[in-house]
Amino acid sequence: SASASASASASASASASKAANAGAGVGRPPNGWPGPNNTGPGSTKLSNYSGSCTITANNTVIEAKTVNCMLNIKATGVVIRKSKVNGPVHTDDAGKYSVTIEDSEVDGGRSAIAAVAYMNVTVVRSNIHGGQASVNCVLNCTIRDSWLHGQYMPPGADWHLDAFLMNGGKNATLTRNTLDCQNVDSGCSAAVGL
């Protein structure tokens, strides 16, 4: 089943992580497990993004930008690189579009939606936080060398919080990540919800 294969992949990835992170190999975050010092744009000088918050041009690249809106991805091959997005990043849930987020930070803010979602999503060496879930995957997601943490729940609410959420989705690969489901007031559902 999809859930079993995702679970096996997540378990295998977690087991391999210590060995993989013993040295800072090519394409891996330095200094061990992904966290605040080895994910996101780092010291990259960012300038303000002035483009549309709905991306409709295929192969759009947003690089070294501070984006102050939710990005709705309605194109294929979109890349967000070495940037900080102050708002969620979502593709549709019909499988038409795709996005890669690398060496970036996405702050999903105080919303009842995921910081990053739904289909054909790749996240590499990135800091993903805020929102009800860090990443909500419906289909075809690869999360690698990233830090998923800091989900949001309003006081008195009873939302289900997750670092990575699938809810029966398919084709997810989680490799060498720090998946931290945390909420100081109410706890969380799971670091990985399949």
Side-chain angles (χ1 to χ4, degrees):
S1 84
S3 294
S5 64
S7 179
S9 175
S11 296
S13 296
S15 298
S17 291
K18 285 187 181 178
N21 282 320
V26 174
R28 296 187 184 123
N31 306 319
W33 290 92
N37 298 319
N38 57 11
T39 59
S43 61
T44 302
K45 183 175 179 175
L46 305 178
S47 61
N48 287 329
Y49 174 74
S50 60
S52 174
C53 296
T54 300
I55 309 300
T56 58
N58 291 343
N59 304 309
T60 295
V61 176
I62 298 172
E63 185 163 0
K65 298 293 183 186
T66 298
V67 179
N68 291 308
C69 62
M70 175 177 180
L71 288 176
N72 291 299
I73 309 301
K74 296 185 177 292
T76 60
V78 175
V79 176
I80 300 167
R81 180 182 298 130
K82 294 185 177 183
S83 294
K84 179 164 192 245
V85 181
N86 295 308
V89 177
H90 287 191
T91 62
D92 70 343
D93 58 1
K96 297 177 187 174
Y97 310 123
S98 62
V99 64
T100 296
I101 301 167
E102 56 187 36
D103 301 304
S104 292
E105 178 179 353
V106 176
D107 182 350
R110 298 175 165 220
S111 59
I113 58 176
V116 174
Y118 289 103
M119 293 187 169
N120 305 318
V121 171
T122 299
V123 177
V124 181
R125 294 179 305 275
S126 291
N127 174 354
I128 312 295
H129 57 93
Q132 185 175 358
S134 301
V135 175
N136 183 352
C137 176
V138 174
L139 180 68
N140 299 333
C141 300
T142 299
I143 315 299
R144 188 174 72 242
D145 298 320
S146 292
W147 182 33
L148 281 55
H149 67 104
Q151 301 77 30
Y152 172 73
M153 185 181 310
D158 62 352
W159 298 352
H160 292 277
L161 302 182
D162 302 90
F164 178 84
L165 176 65
M166 276 189 79
N167 266 351
K170 297 179 183 177
N171 299 329
T173 303
L174 308 173
T175 307
R176 293 182 303 272
N177 299 291
T178 300
L179 306 174
D180 188 0
C181 185
Q182 55 187 228
N183 182 279
V184 294
D185 297 321
S186 306
C188 72
S189 298
V192 178
L194 300 176

